[in-house]
Amino acid sequence: MHGHVPGRFTSARVRAAGALLLGAHLLTVGWLTLRPRPVPWVSPSNLQPLATIHADLAAGPAAALQGIGGDLMLLAPVGVLLPALGHPYGPRAATALRTVLTGLFLALGVAALRSGTPSQVVTVDAVMLNTAGVALTHLLLWPRLRRSLLRREGVRYTPPRVAPAQAGTQGHTPRGSRVGIAP
């Protein structure tokens, strides 16, 4: 349906760069979140929603920025890098849903791996904030990047037009097949 796209090689380069950057980012996330910390004590895991966020806010602006902002930014680049791997021509709502769900599964995977790492604390708020960071990045940055990629390739997306219905017509009359029936 799309036919020949003039900037096909540009699109392939963008996908390759997106795959490379996404892989590098996920390796960095793994290194940052899955290495043991040298601390004498570790607080228990928190599975009560919003408890960690309230504690960070109560601890002051610096702790809130570090705790909440760090969890928002941990997987945020996935919101742009993941859709860059696919085709920018697809429906925006489907791309957003696919990206946010993938971000949720990545956040759950990081939390599951973190639970087995010594001195790492698992919180449900981290999973929620990681997913929110992916969603915010996708909603704020992907439309501009998508437009830029489409403009660079010389593609102008216009939604399909539906012809207006004429008054009094109900469409074509259905016809049966012209194949005879054998005895």
Side-chain angles (χ1 to χ4, degrees), residues 15 39 44 60 72 111 140:
R15 275 189 292 244
V39 294
L72 275 173
L140 295 176

Side-chain angles (χ1 to χ4, degrees), residues 161-176:
R161 299 179 87 192
V162 178
Q166 295 176 353
T169 62
Q170 297 181 3
H172 298 288
T173 306
R175 296 184 178 197

Side-chain angles (χ1 to χ4, degrees), residues 130-164:
N130 291 161
T131 306
V134 171
L136 285 172
T137 305
H138 181 78
L139 292 174
L140 295 176
L141 299 178
W142 177 245
R144 287 183 183 164
L145 182 62
R146 179 182 187 267
R147 242 178 289 138
S148 171
L149 290 173
L150 292 176
R151 190 177 317 120
R152 186 178 209 177
E153 290 185 7
V155 175
R156 185 173 171 197
Y157 176 75
T158 54
R161 299 179 87 192
V162 178

